Amino acid sequence: MPTTTPPTAAKKPVVLEKHGDRRTDDYFWLNDRDNPEVIDYLNRENDYYEAMTAHTKTFQADLFEEMKARIKEDDESVPYLYNGYYYITRFEKGKDYPIHARKKGSLSAPEEILFDCNELAQGHSYFQLGGLGISPDNRFATFGVDTVGRRIYTIRIKDLQTGEILPDQIDNVTGGSVWANDNRTIFYTRKDKVTLRPDKVYRHKMGDDVTQDPLVYDEQDDTFDVSISKEKSKKYIVIGCSSTMTTEFRILPADKPEGEFKVFQKRTRGLEYHMAHYGDHFYIVTNKDKATNFKLMKTPELATSKENWVDLIPHRKDVLLEDIEIFKNFLVVEERSNGLNKILIKPWSGSGDYYLPFDSETYTAYTTSNVDFDTDVLRYSYQSLATPPSVIDFDMKAKTKDVKKEQQVLGGKFDKNNYTEERVWATAADGTKIPISMVYRKGISKDGKNPLLLYAYGSYGASMDPYFSSARLTLLDRGFIFAIAHIRGGEELGRKWYEDGKLLKKKNTFTDFVDCSKYVIAQNYTSPQHLYAEGGSAGGLLMGAVINMAPELYRGVIAQVPFVDVVTTMLDDSIPLTTGEYDEWGNPNDKKYYDYMKSYSPYDNVAKKDYPNLYVSTGLHDSQVQYWEPAKWVAKLRENKTDKNLLFLDTNMKAGHGGASGRFEALKEVAKEFSFLLDLEKIKT
């Protein structure tokens, strides 16, 4: 291993005081991306990382080529039918970006290319097309473009008959927009320029001066975000206002774009709901009446306030109701019980309910592109840790399925029968059973010598379901076990699972992960010399917390775009996401939340002790977790750690929260992470 001197960041103490408590932040100055000294420090960290990993560069390139070779480069999505056209997204060999196309009436019809993102991305180091929307008459397409990675889009309109991009240009938006039924009017959401919170809805008529677009809705509560959508029935345009614990919707007939939006049910703190229109009713998924795991209700479309709602599927203590899909003849209900996805089919006729059969011990199943209302065919996806994703069309009347596509893993070496999948249960310190999904090559010995990568997220009620990754085979085929810890803070075991891992119970998320780590060690899957941990964003907070709590359990840790400076960030309401997240983390302007956050915030709890080997990644333009959080954290770790383990800060100077935008460029980032793990395991090929 080459030796080189790690960079140090200058210490410029800033005293931060709140509730009579004084914190000294030596690296507060790193939060100015326009300061040349900041850029110099990030570049020096990048240079150090490059120098220290120079001996792995060839291996990284080999890993990249290996992972890329498993991907079918000339791939395409399963077409879906919408308003008389089949829509297809496809990739061409050697190209990083998708091509969006459609065919009129039949799959044998000539292809019409809507957008070739490879052409649009030329000259940009980052490119993302989002919010593709087709006018009801099929002539125009709205689309959003982000060329920085901060999730700030510009909306344009394309005439699909002439191929012309119209002069209309709408900046500083979320990217998505919704067509009214007149084929001339769109609604879009604009972001606050400082916080990047989507807070305003505007109406635009094609050809009008964008600066004169009328403001339709302005969300004054800075804990709420705003969205715009259209019901599948095409009858209503919907403004959604949401915070962590509360939602509110407004509806407008899509035939009357210049009308007034009507409140569906006014916001009531703690009341969450979302709805779908069908016939002369709305169907509402809600936690009304203390339905912690949500229930399904219905209400007449002309009487939408909650006193008119009636139960359709009652609340169940052991089943989380996640979402619904409405078809002309069927209601499809997505549920979760015992940590696993279930899909319930309910004929509107009122008899013959049934569940789709799934056999595996651990899997992921969910509905996908079901844009057609008048069909008996449900499209869903199925995958597991060892089973590539498949897209399946299920005839709900005949109860037959047609596998439209299973992701191909090229190279001729992959066989899902070569891998074992397990779901095991660790016991937390408070007695709670925590599920762990894992996969590994058949034939490994439980002798404590296997390298094991334990991944988790554990925030926002986001469930980390078992998913397939062809890139992950690179680790599995070299002897790694991969495991997902389904810790509290997610929603795998119902809404209470989330509630027990947020606010003043947030530490359950961290102790659950530590207890899962102890479990896989105790069961001889691995040992502290071979256990690795990985998490990103709020999962990066998890990584920072557990290495303060139990650093001795891990040989190495990967922290991607980590949220690690919790107190300072949550006190700064100019930062994107902050105010909208008080219901997730707490508001530190209240002393009890301040004290609790400070007790686990990774940056505030760095101490003079040994830490595992660390690979930390970030993006200079990240809008979700600002780059300075990982930068400050690494600087403080360098100052305090008492070990000689690796500590890398790798900053993508051209990207944001999601990293590189090209499908193959993103694999190069995975190759960096994998080479970090494999190098520590002394696996060279």
Side-chain angles (χ1 to χ4, degrees):
M1 178 74 69
T3 58
T4 187
T5 305
T8 56
K11 295 175 70 171
K12 303 179 183 182
V14 172
V15 176
L16 304 169
E17 186 169 352
K18 190 74 177 179
H19 305 299
D21 179 56
R22 292 166 62 88
R23 293 179 300 132
T24 300
D25 188 345
D26 290 326
Y27 304 106
F28 188 85
W29 65 275
L30 285 170
N31 74 350
D32 180 6
R33 69 166 56 79
D34 295 323
N35 181 348
E37 192 178 351
V38 172
I39 300 301
D40 176 67
Y41 169 66
L42 296 176
N43 282 328
R44 285 190 289 122
E45 283 284 3
N46 281 351
D47 291 344
Y48 174 70
Y49 166 70
E50 293 297 328
M52 291 292 288
T53 57
H55 65 289
T56 71
K57 291 305 177 197
T58 300
F59 190 31
Q60 282 185 37
D62 291 345
L63 293 175
F64 168 75
E65 292 298 337
E66 176 185 308
M67 291 185 285
K68 182 181 176 184
R70 296 193 192 103
I71 297 173
K72 189 173 189 294
E73 291 194 48
D74 53 343
D75 202 7
E76 69 176 42
S77 64
V78 178
Y80 67 86
L81 180 65
Y82 178 69
N83 201 20
Y85 282 82
Y86 284 94
Y87 286 86
I88 303 159
T89 302
R90 61 180 178 81
F91 288 90
E92 292 184 349
K93 191 174 179 65
K95 295 184 178 179
D96 255 334
Y97 294 97
I99 296 168
H100 299 279
R102 68 179 183 179
K103 296 181 177 183
K104 187 175 183 178
S106 164
L107 289 173
S108 60
E111 179 187 70
E112 175 188 349
I113 292 180
L114 305 177
F115 299 99
D116 184 341
C117 294
N118 299 286
E119 293 180 0
L120 294 171
Q122 287 181 12
H124 300 291
S125 57
Y126 179 93
F127 179 84
Q128 191 69 44
L129 182 143
L132 181 56
I134 306 295
S135 61
D137 64 0
N138 293 312
R139 176 169 175 178
F140 298 100
T142 50
F143 63 104
V145 170
D146 173 13
T147 56
V148 176
R150 270 182 79 74
R151 304 185 184 182
I152 303 171
Y153 287 81
T154 296
I155 289 176
R156 303 299 305 270
I157 303 173
K158 183 177 182 179
D159 185 332
L160 299 177
Q161 278 187 11
T162 66
E164 176 190 7
I165 304 292
L166 302 183
D168 311 61
Q169 180 170 318
I170 308 171
D171 297 320
N172 192 40
V173 294
T174 57
S177 57
V178 170
W179 286 95
N181 289 346
D182 65 354
N183 301 297
R184 303 292 300 169
T185 305
I186 63 170
F187 293 84
Y188 61 90
T189 49
R190 183 158 267 156
K191 294 189 170 191
D192 181 282
K193 289 184 178 179
V194 176
T195 66
L196 304 188
R197 177 176 71 93
D199 62 348
K200 294 178 176 64
V201 178
Y202 288 86
R203 184 179 70 238
H204 175 72
K205 185 166 282 191
M206 283 197 303
D208 286 359
D209 181 351
V210 169
T211 65
Q212 300 302 310
D213 284 353
L215 175 66
V216 173
Y217 180 73
D218 185 0
E219 177 54 66
Q220 297 291 325
D221 187 333
D222 62 7
T223 68
F224 279 75
D225 288 349
V226 171
S227 62
I228 189 81
S229 62
K230 194 175 188 180
E231 284 296 313
K232 186 173 172 180
S233 69
K234 305 176 186 176
K235 187 172 180 179
Y236 291 98
I237 293 169
V238 181
I239 294 175
C241 307
S242 61
S243 70
T244 304
M245 296 175 57
T246 308
T247 52
E248 178 183 73
F249 292 90
R250 286 168 169 76
I251 58 174
L252 173 72
D255 290 334
K256 300 176 180 177
E258 296 188 10
E260 293 290 323
F261 280 84
K262 170 196 160 194
V263 175
F264 187 92
Q265 159 60 41
K266 70 178 182 180
R267 68 188 65 177
T268 304
R269 182 163 173 78
L271 176 66
E272 297 176 66
Y273 70 93
H274 64 270
M275 70 283 186
H277 175 255
Y278 169 57
D280 54 5
H281 284 81
F282 281 96
Y283 292 78
I284 306 151
V285 177
T286 180
N287 65 349
K288 183 178 179 289
D289 307 319
K290 299 181 180 179
T292 309
N293 275 337
F294 290 79
K295 61 180 177 177
L296 184 63
M297 307 183 78
K298 66 183 288 191
T299 195
E301 66 177 330
L302 299 180
T304 60
S305 54
K306 64 182 180 181
E307 62 268 18
N308 300 296
W309 301 0
V310 295
D311 281 8
L312 196 62
I313 298 177
H315 176 255
R316 291 158 292 173
K317 190 176 180 180
D318 58 345
V319 178
L320 176 68
L321 198 163
E322 292 191 314
D323 208 354
I324 59 171
E325 281 275 8
I326 285 181
F327 297 87
K328 182 178 179 181
N329 297 316
F330 294 91
L331 170 68
V332 177
V333 183
E334 293 188 86
E335 304 175 348
R336 186 184 294 273
S337 61
N338 198 31
L340 295 175
N341 306 121
K342 304 287 177 64
I343 298 178
L344 173 66
I345 312 295
K346 292 177 69 71
W348 288 117
S349 61
S351 61
D353 297 3
Y354 62 94
Y355 285 92
L356 294 185
F358 302 125
D359 305 323
S360 176
E361 185 178 65
T362 176
Y363 63 88
T364 301
Y366 52 91
T367 65
T368 59
S369 301
N370 290 286
V371 294
D372 190 2
F373 173 76
D374 191 8
T375 180
D376 291 331
V377 177
L378 169 72
R379 178 163 291 180
Y380 72 95
S381 181
Y382 177 91
Q383 62 183 300
S384 73
L385 290 169
T387 306
S390 55
V391 176
I392 299 164
D393 279 357
F394 183 81
D395 188 316
M396 295 179 280
K397 194 166 280 184
K399 299 184 182 179
T400 56
K401 71 176 185 178
D402 178 12
V403 179
K404 306 300 289 187
K405 178 182 180 180
E406 181 172 289
Q407 177 187 321
Q408 285 184 263
V409 181
L410 302 184
K413 298 178 181 178
F414 173 72
D415 180 348
K416 57 189 171 189
N417 296 311
N418 289 336
Y419 304 89
T420 296
E421 296 176 273
E422 278 191 88
R423 188 163 69 143
V424 297
W425 298 77
T427 303
D430 64 1
T432 302
K433 299 289 187 182
I434 314 295
I436 306 172
S437 300
M438 61 172 66
V439 61
Y440 49 84
R441 289 279 302 197
K442 285 182 178 174
I444 69 163
S445 301
K446 292 182 184 177
D447 56 8
K449 296 178 181 178
N450 304 297
L452 188 151
L453 178 59
L454 185 64
Y455 171 81
Y457 186 71
S459 290
Y460 303 108
S463 298
M464 292 295 108
D465 291 316
Y467 63 97
F468 181 81
S469 163
S470 65
R472 189 191 301 136
L473 299 173
T474 289
L475 292 182
L476 299 182
D477 292 346
R478 288 172 173 82
F480 266 76
I481 298 170
F482 177 78
I484 302 172
H486 303 289
I487 53 182
R488 281 174 283 187
E491 215 167 50
E492 287 90 338
L493 292 175
R495 184 69 171 194
K496 191 174 186 300
W497 202 247
Y498 170 41
E499 303 287 350
D500 285 348
K502 64 186 283 198
L503 296 172
L504 297 174
K505 296 181 179 179
K506 187 64 212 169
K507 288 183 185 176
N508 284 336
T509 301
F510 316 137
T511 54
D512 283 358
F513 191 87
V514 169
D515 289 331
C516 288
S517 302
K518 291 177 178 176
Y519 175 85
V520 295
I521 291 169
Q523 297 299 312
N524 280 327
Y525 286 101
T526 190
S527 62
Q529 293 75 37
H530 300 285
L531 177 58
Y532 301 88
E534 176 187 15
S537 196
L541 162 65
L542 170 68
M543 296 298 102
V546 299
I547 64 170
N548 283 333
M549 293 167 59
E552 71 282 355
L553 293 179
Y554 309 98
R555 177 77 187 282
V557 171
I558 295 171
Q560 305 148 325
V561 293
F563 172 42
V564 284
D565 191 11
V566 183
V567 180
T568 305
T569 290
M570 292 305 296
L571 281 169
D572 185 352
D573 60 13
S574 72
I575 294 176
L577 302 185
T578 293
T579 55
E581 308 221 336
Y582 288 156
D583 286 334
E584 179 73 26
W585 312 103
N587 184 345
N589 293 297
D590 179 334
K591 189 174 186 302
K592 71 177 178 183
Y593 289 112
Y594 175 92
D595 291 341
Y596 189 73
M597 280 182 197
K598 186 183 174 187
S599 72
Y600 69 73
S601 173
Y603 184 63
D604 291 291
N605 288 281
V606 169
K608 290 197 178 297
K609 60 183 174 186
D610 287 0
Y611 282 94
N613 295 283
L614 283 165
Y615 174 81
V616 182
S617 61
T618 187
L620 182 63
H621 300 291
D622 196 327
S623 61
Q624 311 301 106
V625 177
Q626 307 298 321
Y627 73 88
W628 60 75
E629 293 200 37
K632 288 167 55 175
W633 184 46
V634 167
K636 192 171 182 179
L637 283 166
R638 285 215 188 284
E639 177 195 356
N640 284 277
K641 72 190 194 82
T642 54
D643 58 82
K644 294 183 179 179
N645 289 331
L646 301 174
L647 173 57
F648 297 142
L649 174 64
D650 184 12
T651 303
N652 186 327
M653 304 299 280
K654 297 178 180 178
H657 197 64
S661 57
R663 58 175 175 157
F664 300 129
E665 285 303 307
L667 279 182
K668 291 178 182 176
E669 297 180 356
V670 177
K672 287 181 176 182
E673 296 174 355
F674 284 4
S675 69
F676 171 75
L677 300 173
L678 294 166
D679 194 44
L680 288 171
E681 282 294 310
K682 296 183 169 47
I683 297 172
K684 306 293 187 187
T685 59

